[in-house]
Amino acid sequence: MRLKEIDANLIVVLDALLIDGSVTKAAERLGRSPSAISHALSNLRDIFQDELFVRAGQRLVPTAKAESLASTIHVVCAGIQSLLREDDPFEPETADRSLRIACPTVYEPALVPDILCSIHPDAAGIKLTWNSDESIDIVSGLRDDKFQLAVTDTPPQPEASDIYLAPIRKEQLVSIADENHPLAQARVGIRNYRASSHVFVSMNNNTIEDLILSRAALNSVRQAPSALSATLFAKAVGGVVVLPQSVAGKLLNNCGMTEIRQPFQALSVAIYLAWHRRYQNDRCHAWVRERILHVATSKA
């Protein structure tokens, strides 16, 4: 007899009979009829090729075979009950978990510090690590569990129905330059804006750069690996760097930069938080998601 050929309900009946030593009491314990328990006992006798229980006056007593099975049967039933038990309430302060989050470097200055400050005071055991590798596709990365959450401005296609999305916020794009940059002192027109050197943060799917290039045919475009390095590079070469407004706000005062008026209608980019369906009902994952969305939307 193979495991797949045994009805798990028979194991539960055997456990009850071993505990109660009575068909009637086992039926009461399991909420079944005595005839149903008797039928199950008949099946068990066929499976184990043993009577399992025999009459001793008015009582049922286990055979040697049944007694040898008892400890294993009790453990199996306890294990099944444990599997079916409701999860304990999630307690952030006692949680011990590691989650990896993919986040393009251009959004890190505005999101990462606030997210860490929001989570760590209440859940020091939840360890967040950050993946800024732009070469990993968001959908495949989430499906392959290379990271468990992702910040993205490029939503997956509709056919990726196993990827869940929640909007973080819309970010207006702004241009900043050194306080002494010619555009900081002059009226900005499309010609002198195009003529300046422009620096973008290098991204695999450079939504920001594409949006600006579609609006202004720039003469000179350079790239840097992060928002901070792009800002410092632009300052060093007398260039203009285009960043999300929240990121630019973090860097303006600290880097001696000023905002440059853009000679075209304001552009914005929508940012989302993405995760795979496997984590939808994970209580720790859901708590982290809620914290991220709360802090990201409240700082917008």
Side-chain angles (χ1 to χ4, degrees):
M1 178 68 68
R2 298 180 181 179
L3 179 61
K4 66 181 181 179
E5 298 171 350
I6 301 176
D7 184 345
N9 286 310
L10 294 178
I11 303 300
V12 175
V13 170
L14 180 54
D15 184 60
L17 287 169
L18 287 164
I19 293 171
D20 295 314
S22 165
V23 169
T24 301
K25 290 181 179 179
E28 291 174 355
R29 176 185 293 273
L30 300 177
R32 301 181 189 178
S33 67
S35 62
I37 300 300
S38 295
H39 180 69
L41 177 55
S42 176
N43 289 336
L44 286 164
R45 285 167 169 163
D46 290 339
I47 290 170
F48 290 104
Q49 296 294 296
D50 188 88
E51 289 193 82
L52 297 178
F53 295 91
V54 296
R55 290 221 166 262
Q58 299 299 313
R59 298 180 299 114
L60 276 182
V61 295
T63 65
K65 176 69 172 179
E67 288 182 339
S68 72
L69 295 172
S71 60
T72 301
I73 293 297
H74 294 329
V75 169
V76 169
C77 286
I80 294 173
Q81 189 63 43
S82 176
L83 288 174
L84 298 176
R85 187 179 64 232
E86 289 188 11
D87 292 338
D88 294 330
F90 175 69
E91 301 290 347
E93 59 273 12
T94 60
D96 184 11
R97 186 77 173 272
S98 294
L99 294 174
R100 193 164 182 79
I101 304 175
C103 183
T105 56
V106 70
Y107 301 118
E108 284 181 353
L111 291 175
V112 173
D114 291 334
I115 290 171
L116 293 175
C117 288
S118 172
I119 289 175
H120 282 179
D122 297 327
I126 297 179
K127 304 170 188 67
L128 302 183
T129 55
W130 303 86
N131 185 327
S132 57
D133 185 352
E134 295 287 344
S135 66
I136 301 177
D137 175 70
I138 290 295
V139 172
S140 62
L142 291 171
R143 285 174 174 169
D144 296 340
D145 211 28
K146 292 179 179 177
F147 36 80
Q148 292 73 52
L149 287 160
V151 174
T152 181
D153 56 19
T154 310
Q157 296 299 313
E159 57 266 23
S161 58
D162 54 331
I163 305 299
Y164 288 13
L165 283 177
I168 291 179
R169 63 192 183 210
K170 273 195 172 183
E171 284 273 11
Q172 185 171 323
L173 302 179
V174 299
S175 297
I176 63 175
D178 183 78
E179 294 170 342
N180 298 314
H181 192 281
L183 293 183
Q185 315 297 329
R187 180 180 178 83
V188 181
I190 190 66
R191 288 187 178 181
N192 54 358
Y193 183 86
R194 285 174 176 167
S196 297
S197 175
H198 287 75
V199 181
F200 291 92
V201 179
S202 179
M203 297 168 63
N204 193 38
N205 295 314
N206 203 330
T207 305
I208 294 175
E209 185 174 342
D210 292 342
L211 284 171
I212 296 297
L213 289 175
S214 69
R215 194 58 59 90
L218 306 178
N219 293 342
S220 175
V221 173
R222 306 181 188 185
Q223 292 188 334
S226 69
L228 178 59
S229 61
T231 300
L232 296 176
F233 182 41
K235 185 177 180 67
V237 300
V240 176
V241 59
V242 179
L243 296 170
Q245 189 169 38
S246 61
V247 177
K250 300 264 185 185
L251 298 173
L252 280 173
N253 297 331
N254 296 325
C255 298
M257 307 288 276
T258 188
E259 185 172 340
I260 303 298
R261 189 183 70 83
Q262 294 174 153
F264 43 78
Q265 187 176 359
L267 296 170
S268 63
V269 60
I271 310 171
Y272 301 87
L273 184 66
W275 62 95
H276 191 267
R277 182 179 179 180
R278 65 162 68 88
Y279 291 110
Q280 176 65 13
N281 295 320
D282 183 306
R283 295 187 181 188
C284 178
H285 194 279
W287 184 86
V288 172
R289 293 196 310 261
E290 290 169 5
R291 281 298 178 100
I292 291 175
L293 292 170
H294 173 74
V295 71
T297 54
S298 64
K299 297 287 183 178

